[in-house]
Amino acid sequence: MNDMTKIERAIEMNDMKISAKGVQVYYGDTHAIKDVSVEIEDKTVTAFIGPSGCGKSTFLRCLNRMNDTIDICRVEGDILLDGEDIYDKRVDPVQLRAKVGMVFQKPNPFPKSIYDNIAYGPRIHGLAKNKAELDEIVEKSLRRGAIWDEVKDRLHAPGTGLSGGQQQRLCIARAVATEPEVLLMDEPCSALDPIATAQVEELIDELRQSYSVVIVTHSMQQAARVSQKTAFFHLGNLVEYDDTTKIFTNPEDPRTESYITGRIG
Ligand SMILES: Nc1ncnc2c1ncn2[C@@H]1O[C@H](COP(=O)(O)OP(=O)(O)OP(=O)(O)O)[C@@H](O)[C@H]1O
Ligand SMILES: [Mg+2]
């Protein structure tokens, strides 16, 4: 650290995609996130782990203002995306969510065709000038979602007619269709079997080439397999944040150690 030049330090700062400082979240009187600060790196998979109810989903939802949709939820502190305050009054949450996409625990395709599931976002955001361009975006997104080969002959069939694992890959393809910069995933594999899970994990590793990916997971094996950075939450606190290998082999905090060895959680 000490022998880094100013320029090296500046470059390292640039690699920070999201910077959260002193974040507090309340649901009415419940203090769900307590003074959390964290730097999320670009082109990196960051895992959020911790026992049920510790605030992983709450904190994840702060990163694209999904908590705005919960009436009793209040968020304080600063969250910067590429240095810009995402809670600034001038930021349109819909535009923000195109840049910071989200995949949920339960696959939730729209009740529309496979094609329209993908085309929906690009249409709203005016990403295609004509049908040919839209077709291209749809194909590219389905390829990135690693599901093109399985659906290319049934693009106009309903998305809800796919298997659970296929639906989740469709939802990932839908999230990447608007060219997001960050992809938030809240337990994206919890409804999937081991084969579909492996496919989604492989996909996450590929998406990391282009995006910053943040994944909430209850599976420590999954966190260890897919992430480079891991954040351990406990009772609304961010207890420890470090390289994934460090967290799983030599954590600093006894609470982290208890969790990864199965004593709490
Ligand atoms: N919509 C809500 N209204 C009120 N309280 C909420 C709401 N969502 C979450 N909470 C509370 O905030 C705290 C953190 O919940 P959160 O869902 O973020 O935990 P989590 O770590 O994602 O848990 P899990 O692993 O079970 O998904 C909990 O005490 C929870 O009860
Ligand atoms: Mg959760």
Side-chain angles (χ1 to χ4, degrees), residues 55-239:
K56 303 176 297 294
S57 299
T58 298
F59 188 70
L60 191 74
R61 286 197 302 265
C62 291
L63 306 181
N64 70 346
R65 291 183 54 174
M66 283 300 278
N67 288 322
D68 287 16
T69 62
I70 302 172
D71 274 346
I72 58 164
C73 187
R74 202 167 85 243
V75 177
E76 292 173 3
D78 292 315
I79 298 177
L80 311 180
L81 173 66
D82 291 326
E84 309 270 349
D85 176 9
I86 65 167
Y87 282 85
D88 189 283
K89 282 194 293 293
R90 285 164 300 188
V91 172
D92 172 2
V94 175
Q95 296 289 344
L96 172 70
R97 290 176 201 137
K99 269 203 234 172
V100 185
M102 193 155 193
V103 175
F104 299 85
Q105 182 168 3
K106 219 170 127 251
N108 58 349
F110 302 136
K112 292 172 181 290
S113 69
I114 291 167
Y115 185 98
D116 286 334
N117 261 276
I118 308 298
Y120 183 81
R123 278 197 188 110
I124 290 189
H125 295 284
L127 300 185
K129 285 199 284 293
N130 51 44
K131 175 80 165 67
E133 275 189 20
L134 193 58
D135 287 352
E136 213 173 287
I137 292 175
V138 169
E139 176 170 343
K140 191 173 122 202
S141 305
L142 289 167
R143 283 190 188 281
R144 302 208 74 181
I147 190 178
W148 170 252
D149 288 335
E150 288 154 79
V151 300
K152 62 176 191 274
D153 300 322
R154 53 196 279 207
L155 291 177
H156 299 286
T160 47
L162 297 168
S163 76
Q166 288 173 328
Q167 287 186 22
Q168 194 62 309
R169 281 178 287 137
L170 179 69
C171 292
I172 294 170
R174 182 178 67 190
V176 300
T178 55
E179 298 285 346
E181 297 167 18
V182 180
L183 200 55
L184 309 178
M185 305 177 116
D186 197 346
E187 300 186 50
C189 301
S190 66
L192 308 183
D193 70 18
I195 291 170
T197 297
Q199 282 168 327
V200 170
E201 286 183 2
E202 212 172 291
L203 181 56
I204 291 170
D205 196 54
E206 253 176 63
L207 295 174
R208 168 165 78 92
Q209 313 301 320
S210 325
Y211 313 123
S212 168
V213 179
V214 186
I215 178 174
V216 171
T217 178
H218 271 124
S219 157
M220 284 182 274
Q221 290 80 2
Q222 179 167 66
R225 280 193 301 264
V226 301
S227 73
Q228 292 76 50
K229 289 275 175 178
T230 295
F232 170 64
F233 289 82
H234 186 237
L235 301 174
N237 300 295
L238 175 59
V239 171

Side-chain angles (χ1 to χ4, degrees), residues 224-259:
R225 280 193 301 264
V226 301
S227 73
Q228 292 76 50
K229 289 275 175 178
T230 295
F232 170 64
F233 289 82
H234 186 237
L235 301 174
N237 300 295
L238 175 59
V239 171
E240 192 164 349
Y241 174 56
D242 212 324
D243 290 341
T244 296
T245 41
K246 170 93 167 79
I247 294 281
F248 285 103
T249 55
N250 189 19
E252 296 286 330
D253 194 287
R255 288 167 292 179
T256 315
E257 171 152 32
S258 295
Y259 183 71

